[in-house]
């Protein structure tokens, strides 16, 4: 699944493993190019086998992860402040990569400047975040931009303005967006350059014949 306007450009690494493409200036937010990556045909899904023993094994301490070349390439795009969309089949290492992305972003910016979100509460909790609707403070997001904006509390407006990077982890769709903001949200809203037109669910968006995904324009 790709947002509207996505083109295709083969990545320099692992030609069979993933493709990377960049969108330019369509009506889809963000306006910055978005790198689209499909992860992992070289990494087969992993099936965890439970040991036959009755005694559960001790929980190992969190270990340093050595990322695969594919994961490292995507992380590098994030380090270079590129907007990234990545997807991949189950077990291809998206969650491991996302944890590293969060570490990089919270070092690059500050933890308060990184919004970690997901379309559902459970998914949000899995990554230490919250729902995109709750973070944005827009409820179901069905109203016009102006009404949504007018309904934001000062606290929420401040949160929008101070956010430097937005992560939307659509784990149920095996996709993840990482979006850097060069301009503060609030200013952009006022300037009308980058605006929230709609934050909707699959149903509200697809019923308008657009991308079947949570979408920010
Ligand atoms: N770079 C890595 N080094 C070692 N193990 C890894 C690496 N990346 C992923 N794994 C392991 O591969 C397995 C699958 O990874 P992960 O859970 O991140 O995949 P996923 O794509 O998020 O899967 P799902 O879509 O099912 O949630 C896990 O056991 C994880 O620890």
């Amino acid at each position: 699944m790709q947002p509207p306007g996505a083109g295709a450009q083969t990545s320099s690494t692992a030609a069979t493993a993933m493709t990377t493409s960049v969108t330019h200036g369509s009506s889809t937010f963000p306006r910055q190019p978005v790198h689209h990556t499909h992860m992992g045909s070289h990494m087969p899904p992993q099936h965890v086998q439970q040991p036959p023993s009755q005694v559960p094994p001790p929980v190992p301490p969190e270990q340093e992860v050595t990322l695969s070349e594919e994961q490292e390439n995507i992380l590098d795009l994030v380090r270079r402040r590129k907007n990234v969309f990545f997807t991949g089949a189950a077990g291809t290492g998206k969650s491991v990569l996302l944890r590293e992305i969060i570490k990089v972003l919270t070092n690059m910016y500050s933890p308060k400047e990184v919004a970690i979100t997901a379309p559902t509460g459970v998914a949000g909790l899995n990554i230490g975040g919250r729902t995109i609707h709750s973070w944005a403070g827009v409820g179901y997001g069905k109203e016009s931009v102006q009404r949504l904006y007018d309904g934001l509390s000062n606290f929420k407006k401040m949160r929008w303005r101070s956010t430097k990077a937005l992560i939307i982890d659509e784990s149920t769709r095996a996709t993840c967006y990482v979006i850097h903001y060069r301009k503060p949200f609030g200013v952009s809203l006022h300037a009308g350059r980058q605006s929230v037109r709609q934050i909707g669910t699959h149903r509200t968006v697809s019923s308008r014949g657009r991308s079947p995904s949570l979408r920010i324009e």
Side-chain angles (χ1 to χ4, degrees):
M1 176 194 68
Q2 287 188 333
Q9 170 191 321
T10 304
S11 163
S12 59
T13 60
T16 55
M18 70 176 178
T19 57
T20 302
S21 64
V22 180
T23 47
H24 290 284
S26 70
S27 62
T28 303
F29 188 86
R31 300 297 165 88
Q32 301 294 335
V34 179
H35 296 254
H36 299 253
T37 298
H38 182 84
M39 290 181 63
S41 54
H42 73 288
M43 240 178 121
Q46 304 205 358
H47 302 284
V48 180
Q49 291 227 321
Q50 295 297 331
S53 159
Q54 301 296 319
V55 183
V59 179
E62 195 178 330
Q63 292 179 339
E64 285 258 320
V65 182
T66 304
L67 295 183
S68 68
E69 185 182 351
E70 182 177 46
Q71 290 168 322
E72 195 58 61
N73 286 341
I74 297 170
L75 190 63
D76 193 48
L77 289 170
V78 173
R79 283 199 195 96
R80 291 193 282 127
R81 297 172 198 252
K82 304 291 184 191
N83 297 322
V84 174
F85 166 83
F86 63 90
T87 183
T92 49
K94 300 179 300 294
S95 304
V96 167
L97 172 61
L98 182 56
R99 280 198 289 276
E100 295 304 306
I101 286 175
I102 291 171
K103 280 187 209 164
V104 163
L105 286 174
T106 50
N107 282 327
M108 181 187 292
Y109 304 117
S110 74
K112 278 189 169 180
E113 292 172 326
V114 180
I116 304 170
T117 71
T120 67
V122 172
L125 285 177
N126 281 343
I127 54 168
R130 58 200 306 172
T131 67
I132 179 76
H133 299 79
S134 157
W135 170 81
V138 295
Y140 287 114
K142 289 180 175 171
E143 298 88 352
S144 66
V145 175
Q146 193 60 50
R147 283 185 73 99
L148 289 175
Y149 183 74
D150 291 345
L152 289 176
S153 65
N154 287 338
F155 175 76
K156 293 275 167 63
K157 284 177 187 165
M158 186 57 71
R159 182 193 285 160
W160 277 68
R161 289 191 184 104
S162 61
T163 295
K164 299 275 178 58
L166 172 62
I167 295 169
I168 307 173
D169 179 23
E170 293 191 298
S171 50
T172 51
R173 294 169 184 278
T175 60
C176 181
Y177 299 84
V178 178
I179 304 165
H180 297 266
Y181 287 96
R182 277 117 182 128
K183 289 178 185 296
F185 285 101
V187 172
S188 301
L189 266 176
H190 282 307
R193 288 183 190 154
Q194 296 175 334
S195 62
V196 175
R197 292 225 192 105
Q198 181 183 27
I199 296 179
T201 60
H202 170 55
R203 193 164 17 167
T204 57
V205 177
S206 60
S207 67
R208 295 172 54 162
R210 301 295 294 271
S211 171
S213 167
L214 185 128
R215 181 181 97 232
I216 299 180
E217 287 188 346

